[in-house]
Amino acid sequence: MKLIIAAMLSGTLLFISQIVRAHPGHDHTHWSSELIHTLTIFAVGGIIVGGFVYKQLLRRCKQLEKEEIGHDA
């Protein structure tokens, strides 16, 4: 499962980085500048949200492991 998530994130970031690298300079009047800035905001937000989700998943897994250990005793 972790490998699939890592592959998806890596692929997405590589795709976005290619678009950003094709961005012609830092011209705010260019037609693609709004798209590039929006993608950047979504990428940063996605990393933050992904970190919180991953942290919650780890916490939930540890909680389930503790409950299993408690039932075995």
Side-chain angles (χ1 to χ4, degrees):
M1 176 89 166
K2 289 182 184 179
L3 181 61
I4 293 171
I5 293 172
M8 288 174 34
L9 285 174
S10 297
T12 303
L13 291 175
L14 286 173
F15 174 72
I16 290 174
S17 69
Q18 291 300 320
I19 293 173
V20 172
R21 288 180 62 200
H23 183 52
H26 199 77
D27 183 11
H28 286 270
T29 60
H30 193 271
W31 67 269
S32 67
S33 72
E34 290 293 325
L35 173 65
I36 298 303
H37 293 119
T38 303
L39 287 175
T40 303
I41 291 169
F42 280 130
V44 171
I47 290 170
I48 292 170
V49 170
F52 282 124
V53 169
Y54 184 70
K55 186 176 179 180
Q56 291 297 322
L57 286 173
L58 285 178
R59 184 177 293 157
R60 180 70 177 148
C61 287
K62 287 180 182 179
Q63 182 182 6
L64 289 174
E65 286 175 4
K66 284 182 182 180
E67 288 176 4
E68 278 185 23
I69 292 171
H71 289 298
D72 291 341

